[in-house]
């Protein structure tokens, strides 16, 4: 803790200045070196926050019985959570460019604690749905944390920092099911949300002591103008449009795998338990951690090459995943390659777009992540529908097709993106 306090004192010296009066205003950032411990803290905070919206996926049967909601209706809970997460990306994340980011992060995490307690103590389906909507809305604090980390990191290490912090997000997504399953087996489904609320409150205490209070002089914008500027960034920045489309495609492939993976593993010939299936999230976390180095490569100017190699690995991963019925070892290797590839492209994407406008990183993150979320929704829906009609082979063909399209899109836009 003492080391964290010392680092916080160093970061408090960081200042950003902006010029006034034109549409080309820029914020000058004098970032300082972030220690690995502080970077890890950001990653853990992001992982904890994003996991809150994925806890419910393996708990739908418990929630259905607890509140007397039919199986055909309970799935709406996930949809509502994702819809409000998307709204949070558009309505809350851009505020990081207008307000004090430290206060915004701490405030959103405190409200997240309240939302988690509402879910954990829910006595009616209305209270449950309202609580989950708030959980989804406030989970976007992860993107504010990422943008804040890029602001306080030195330019030469920004890619490394983004790589580590966003790895925390992917690992949080992957481990949410495992953690939810274990806690539910031990103390019931309510313990999942109450335990998360306690951890989030503890994290708030730590962040209050560690997060630097970065002072910024920002251009005065009204809230409607702030939101409008998110769309204007897409109009102005070609690299943002290209990388947003890549984000949508890679997370579509990611969701195609993880949404339907439980189906072949729980069926013959494997018939694995939910706990065993959840353990595959640990395998995916290995790939996500390995991809953290992609940020360093982006720092060194190899972003385009890293993207190409990662997309080739993404395509090859589906070949191994298609052998799931014959070999769990092939599935494990395929999962590692897929998560490595997805995270490598994601980290590279963020490293590139955050270099565009120092004064608009929260808005860049908001716009970019909307496409990421669209990919997740499309992948989830298409995966279950495909499995119902064409089985696991159909799912793998779908994933390979999306991955092929992503690789072709990168190849067609490579020179354009490099010029931009």
């Amino acid at each position: 803790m003492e080391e964290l306090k010392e680092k916080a004192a160093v970061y408090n010296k960081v200042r950003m200045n902006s010029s006034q009066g034109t549409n080309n205003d820029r914020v000058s950032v004098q970032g300082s070196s972030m220690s690995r411990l502080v970077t890890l803290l950001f990653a853990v905070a992001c992982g904890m926050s994003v996991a809150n919206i994925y806890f419910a996926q393996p708990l739908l049967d418990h929630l259905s019985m607890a509140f007397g909601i039919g199986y055909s209706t309970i799935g709406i809970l996930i949809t509502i959570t994702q819809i409000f997460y998307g709204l949070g990306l558009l309505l809350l994340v851009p505020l990081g460019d207008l307000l004090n980011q430290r206060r915004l992060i701490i405030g959103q995490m405190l409200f997240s604690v309240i939302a988690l307690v509402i879910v954990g103590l829910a006595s009616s389906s209305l209270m449950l749905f309202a609580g989950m909507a708030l959980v989804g809305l406030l989970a976007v604090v992860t993107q504010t944390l990422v943008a804040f980390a890029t602001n306080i990191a030195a330019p030469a290490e920004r890619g490394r920092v983004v790589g580590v912090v966003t790895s925390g997000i992917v690992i949080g997504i992957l481990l949410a099911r495992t953690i939810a399953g274990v806690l539910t087996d031990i103390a019931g489904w309510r313990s999942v949300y109450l335990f998360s609320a306690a951890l989030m409150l503890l994290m708030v205490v730590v962040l209050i002591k560690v997060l630097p209070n970065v002072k910024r002089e920002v251009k005065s914008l009204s809230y409607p103008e702030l939101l409008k500027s998110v769309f204007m960034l897409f109009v102005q920045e070609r690299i943002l449009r290209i990388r947003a489309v890549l984000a949508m495609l890679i997370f579509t492939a990611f969701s195609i795998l993880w949404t339907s993976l439980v189906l072949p593993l729980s069926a013959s010939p494997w018939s694995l338990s939910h706990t065993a299936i959840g353990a595959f999230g640990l395998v995916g976390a290995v790939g996500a951690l390995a991809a953290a180095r992609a940020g360093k490569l982006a720092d060194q100017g190899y972003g385009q090459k890293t993207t190409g190699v990662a997309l080739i690995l993404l395509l090859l991963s589906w070949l191994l995943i298609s052998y799931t019925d014959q070999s769990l070892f092939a599935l494990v290797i395929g999962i590692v390659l897929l998560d490595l590839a997805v995270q490598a492209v994601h980290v590279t994407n963020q490293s590139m777009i955050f270099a565009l406008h120092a004064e608009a990183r929260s808005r860049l993150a908001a716009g970019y992540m909307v496409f990421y979320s669209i990919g997740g929704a499309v992948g989830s829906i298409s995966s279950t529908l495909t499995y119902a009609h064409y089985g696991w082979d159909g799912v793998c063909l779908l994933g390979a097709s999306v991955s092929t399209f992503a690789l072709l899109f990168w190849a067609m836009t490579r020179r354009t993106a490099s010029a931009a």
Side-chain angles (χ1 to χ4, degrees):
M1 184 61 70
E2 290 301 321
E3 181 183 349
L4 294 178
K5 289 181 179 179
E6 291 176 5
K7 289 295 180 182
V10 174
Y11 296 151
N12 279 325
K13 298 178 181 179
V14 177
R15 294 294 183 267
M16 292 178 290
N17 302 303
S18 65
S19 57
Q20 300 288 332
T22 69
N23 291 329
N24 295 320
D25 291 342
R26 292 290 184 270
V27 173
S28 175
V29 180
Q30 291 294 329
S32 60
S33 179
M34 285 183 68
S35 74
R36 294 185 182 277
L37 187 59
V38 174
T39 305
L40 181 62
L41 178 67
F42 271 80
V44 172
C46 285
M48 289 170 53
S49 299
V50 77
N52 292 328
I53 61 177
Y54 290 93
F55 284 142
Q57 289 185 350
L59 305 179
L60 291 181
D61 54 342
H62 294 276
L63 296 172
S64 176
M65 291 185 290
F67 294 94
I69 304 173
Y71 286 121
S72 60
T73 305
I74 192 64
I76 297 176
L77 187 68
I78 304 298
T79 304
I80 289 176
T81 306
Q82 292 291 342
I83 288 174
F84 274 82
Y85 182 76
L87 288 174
L89 288 172
L90 286 175
L91 301 178
L92 297 182
V93 174
L95 288 172
D97 292 331
L98 194 62
L99 305 177
N100 182 293
Q101 287 180 306
R102 181 179 184 274
R103 294 175 183 173
L104 186 62
I105 289 168
I106 292 172
Q108 286 183 350
M109 293 189 76
L110 283 173
F111 279 113
S112 291
V113 172
I114 296 173
L116 290 165
V117 171
I118 290 174
V119 174
L121 300 179
S123 57
S124 67
S125 58
L126 179 61
M127 189 174 176
L128 173 69
F129 278 74
M132 288 303 298
L134 288 175
V135 167
L137 183 72
L138 296 165
V140 298
V141 69
T142 55
Q143 300 309 317
T144 307
L145 280 162
V146 173
F148 190 44
T150 62
N151 282 339
I152 63 178
E157 66 173 10
R158 189 168 293 135
R160 176 187 68 81
V161 171
V162 169
V164 175
V165 175
T166 55
S167 289
I169 296 175
V170 176
I171 292 171
I173 294 172
L174 293 173
L175 297 187
R177 291 187 176 189
T178 304
I179 295 170
V182 171
L183 288 177
T184 300
D185 289 340
I186 295 174
W189 72 267
R190 294 181 186 274
S191 68
V192 176
Y193 293 95
L194 296 177
F195 180 70
S196 181
L199 286 182
M200 291 287 285
L201 185 59
L202 179 61
M203 179 58 71
V204 168
V205 173
V206 175
L207 291 178
I208 288 175
K209 295 180 178 294
V210 174
L211 287 183
N213 189 23
V214 179
K215 295 182 179 180
R216 299 180 298 170
E217 294 180 6
V218 296
K219 184 178 178 180
S220 179
L221 288 173
S222 67
Y223 185 59
E225 289 174 335
L226 184 73
L227 298 183
K228 180 181 178 181
S229 67
V230 175
F231 297 97
M232 292 306 299
L233 284 170
F234 275 99
V235 175
Q236 297 167 2
E237 299 295 345
R238 182 180 300 170
I239 191 69
L240 176 59
R241 297 195 296 271
I242 291 173
R243 289 287 153 172
V245 171
L246 282 174
M248 181 177 65
L249 293 172
I250 62 170
F251 204 59
T252 298
F254 180 90
S255 297
I256 287 172
L257 171 67
W258 288 105
T259 300
S260 58
L261 182 61
V262 63
L263 301 175
L265 293 181
S266 60
S268 178
W270 303 116
S271 301
L272 299 179
S273 66
H274 285 289
T275 301
I277 294 171
F280 280 88
L282 298 173
V283 175
V286 172
L289 283 172
R293 290 186 60 84
K296 292 183 178 180
L297 293 174
D299 287 338
Q300 298 168 2
Y302 297 111
Q304 288 292 351
K305 292 182 179 179
T306 301
T307 302
V309 172
L311 291 174
I312 291 172
L313 292 177
L314 179 63
L315 180 57
L316 291 176
S317 71
W318 286 105
L319 175 62
L320 294 168
I321 293 169
S322 67
Y323 286 97
T324 296
D325 290 341
Q326 291 79 38
S327 171
L328 288 181
F329 179 74
L331 173 63
V332 167
I333 301 302
I335 288 175
V336 171
L337 288 179
L338 182 139
D339 282 7
L340 169 65
V342 169
Q343 178 65 356
V345 177
H346 182 43
V347 170
T348 304
N349 285 349
Q350 291 187 301
S351 297
M352 289 183 170
I353 66 172
F354 285 143
L356 297 175
H357 295 275
E359 83 286 0
R361 286 184 179 133
S362 291
R363 282 167 284 172
L364 289 167
Y368 170 81
M369 286 303 299
V370 166
F371 280 76
Y372 202 77
S373 297
I374 291 172
V378 172
S380 297
I381 295 172
S382 61
S383 179
T384 52
L385 288 175
T386 301
Y387 187 87
H389 290 90
Y390 304 104
W392 187 242
D393 288 340
V395 171
C396 292
L397 181 60
L398 176 64
S401 299
V402 172
S403 302
T404 300
F405 186 75
L407 181 60
L408 291 175
F409 179 79
W410 167 80
M412 291 187 295
T413 59
R414 181 182 179 184
R415 291 185 178 181
T416 301
S418 297

